[in-house]
Amino acid sequence: MDVVERRVAGAEEFYAAHGAVARFQITPEVCRDGLDALLDERGYRRHSPVALQGASTARVRELERTLKVSLDERPTRAWFDTWQAVNGESRAEWEMLARVDLPSVYVSALVGGDIVAVGRAVADDGWAGVFSMATLPEARGKGAARNVLSALAGWADANNADRMYLQVERGNGAASRLYARAGFTEMCVYHYRSAGRR
């Protein structure tokens, strides 16, 4: 058994001990040669191709804002309820948000008094990572996500982050078009391999 096989076996044991399905992120420029092929041979299914994209904060700030937005340092229950309405029930996500200790912002776009879109950013070493972008189905295509992204850029600028990054699933055309209009360009692509049925 070579080094890669031993590490995969070790990861599988770790996941099994925690009652979880083994999952690997495969970034071709970073992962050891042969890892993707080895996982394929072991029956891991390939899924969720994701593009990592980056943009200048100044460029993203140019997005027009037409909706009222609110900014919070911690996730509110209303913010999370909107995220959850789009992504489904996730206690683990709420618990993960409580562990983030870097400067963060939670943005909500509002129509009337209702939150219709959310997103968050975390600042670290001149960069702001954009996460948890979600728009309610009835608000899609009306600029809600654009307003959230613009507000996140304003916050990033105020927190000395002159570059922004995000991940977008390759099949998410609407999000990809918004991010392209905001100046985001692809830096790399990765995918996942999960144990189980193909």
Side-chain angles (χ1 to χ4, degrees):
M1 184 180 288
D2 72 7
V3 173
V4 175
E5 290 174 316
R6 280 197 306 276
R7 289 183 177 169
V8 167
E12 289 171 337
E13 289 172 15
F14 174 84
Y15 277 102
H18 290 84
V21 174
R23 179 176 162 166
F24 293 82
Q25 178 180 315
I26 308 296
T27 306
E29 297 84 8
V30 177
C31 289
R32 299 274 305 250
D33 288 340
L35 176 60
D36 199 33
L38 172 66
L39 293 172
D40 185 51
E41 289 170 13
R42 291 174 78 106
Y44 280 72
R45 68 181 175 82
R46 180 185 173 130
H47 60 93
S48 305
V50 174
L52 176 64
Q53 299 183 351
S56 80
T57 299
R59 173 68 179 85
V60 180
R61 283 194 73 187
E62 294 174 5
L63 291 172
E64 179 186 15
R65 267 198 246 172
T66 55
L67 298 178
K68 180 180 176 185
V69 295
S70 68
L71 287 74
D72 296 288
E73 290 182 5
R74 305 291 314 154
T76 64
R77 194 69 229 181
W79 182 96
F80 189 72
D81 287 348
T82 302
W83 180 88
Q84 196 168 255
V86 174
N87 294 286
E89 186 74 30
S90 179
R91 180 178 169 194
E93 183 75 10
W94 180 257
E95 292 171 354
M96 183 277 302
L97 295 176
R99 293 192 302 269
V100 176
D101 61 358
L102 291 169
S104 301
V105 68
Y106 295 79
V107 172
S108 302
L110 300 111
V111 172
D114 298 324
I115 298 174
V116 297
V118 296
R120 69 183 180 93
V122 178
D124 187 19
D125 198 26
W127 285 84
V130 175
F131 306 97
S132 306
M133 293 287 290
T135 304
L136 294 176
E138 62 270 20
R140 291 181 184 155
K142 300 176 181 175
R146 181 188 71 232
N147 282 262
V148 169
L149 192 57
S150 177
L152 291 171
W155 177 87
D157 187 46
N159 283 271
N160 302 312
D162 63 354
R163 299 284 301 161
M164 299 177 75
Y165 70 90
L166 51 77
Q167 295 108 345
V168 61
E169 291 181 10
R170 272 291 184 80
N172 190 339
S176 295
R177 287 187 294 276
L178 168 63
Y179 300 146
R181 284 193 307 271
F184 283 90
T185 58
E186 191 171 283
M187 297 189 291
C188 73
V189 177
Y190 61 91
H191 63 274
Y192 291 92
R193 289 270 186 187
S194 293
R197 297 182 190 154
R198 291 180 192 254

